[in-house]
Amino acid sequence: MTRPNGLGDLIQDPDETIRRMDDWAAGFAAKAERYQAAQEETERLRLTATSSDGAVSVTVGADGTVTDLTFSNKVKSFPLEELSRQILTTMRRAQSGIADRVAGVMAEQLGDEDRETRGALLDSLRGRFPDPDEPDEQPPVPPAPVPPAPSGGAAVPPAPGTPPTSPRRRTAADDEDNNPW
């Protein structure tokens, strides 16, 4: 004895079995089309941010890559360090909107379908492209200071934690290529 709507019902009515399989296949095909549409729309996304003074404008795609970079005449007077800082800051501002835009595309194309998959994807994007106003979890570690070279040609001791190395012997190949190193 089988339960109602169980396997026994399907075996007894092959037409019902075929209809259910067709419905399942049609549902699967429709889902694939929705995902394809979401992917295509996501690939067309472009996000642009402009620096507060209007000197730098950066456009990025949904994967975070820069697709356009423009400058106003103001950058002619910028020191290179300032220009670099503005480019990176503006790029990060553009990238920080990626997760929200992708979420909008997914909501439009997929509705409430596959919440777990969507959540994992959006969490990954938020991790890769955080809000630039949020402080980093760990500040960058400044490089260790380099001690001045001793006078008189004495050897410089290795930095702490550096494994000792033995001097390299010159070979005939070193002499042949005129490479002093």
Side-chain angles (χ1 to χ4, degrees), residues 45 47 60 92-103 129-130 132:
L45 281 179
L47 294 92
V60 298
R92 288 182 187 121
R93 282 187 35 237
Q95 289 172 334
S96 71
I98 291 172
D100 289 340
R101 293 283 300 275
V102 170
F129 308 116

Side-chain angles (χ1 to χ4, degrees), residues 94-168:
Q95 289 172 334
S96 71
I98 291 172
D100 289 340
R101 293 283 300 275
V102 170
V105 168
M106 293 180 84
E108 179 184 320
Q109 296 292 335
L110 306 175
D112 287 337
E113 198 168 303
D114 292 338
R115 287 179 178 255
E116 286 184 28
T117 302
R118 181 182 316 173
L121 172 67
L122 297 176
D123 287 347
S124 172
L125 289 173
R126 287 184 187 104
R128 287 179 52 209
F129 308 116
D131 185 347
D133 297 332
E134 294 177 6
D136 291 336
E137 290 181 22
Q138 295 180 355
V141 177
V146 178
S151 60
V156 178
T162 304
T165 59
S166 57
R168 183 177 166 278

Side-chain angles (χ1 to χ4, degrees), residues 4-80:
N5 296 325
L7 185 58
D9 291 343
L10 295 177
I11 293 172
Q12 291 177 6
D13 187 358
D15 292 334
E16 176 64 15
T17 302
I18 291 170
R19 187 191 65 73
R20 286 186 183 186
M21 290 176 68
D22 288 345
D23 288 349
W24 177 82
F28 190 75
K31 183 176 185 175
E33 287 176 12
R34 289 190 303 274
Y35 272 87
Q36 181 66 34
Q39 178 183 355
E40 289 170 1
E41 190 172 339
T42 298
E43 288 174 355
R44 288 189 302 267
L45 281 179
R46 296 294 179 263
L47 294 92
T48 301
T50 302
S51 61
S52 58
D53 61 1
V56 175
S57 184
V58 180
T59 301
V60 298
D63 62 354
T65 58
V66 174
T67 60
D68 193 27
L69 175 63
T70 58
F71 303 109
S72 75
N73 285 331
K74 294 178 185 180
V75 300
K76 291 179 181 179
S77 63
F78 283 9
L80 292 179

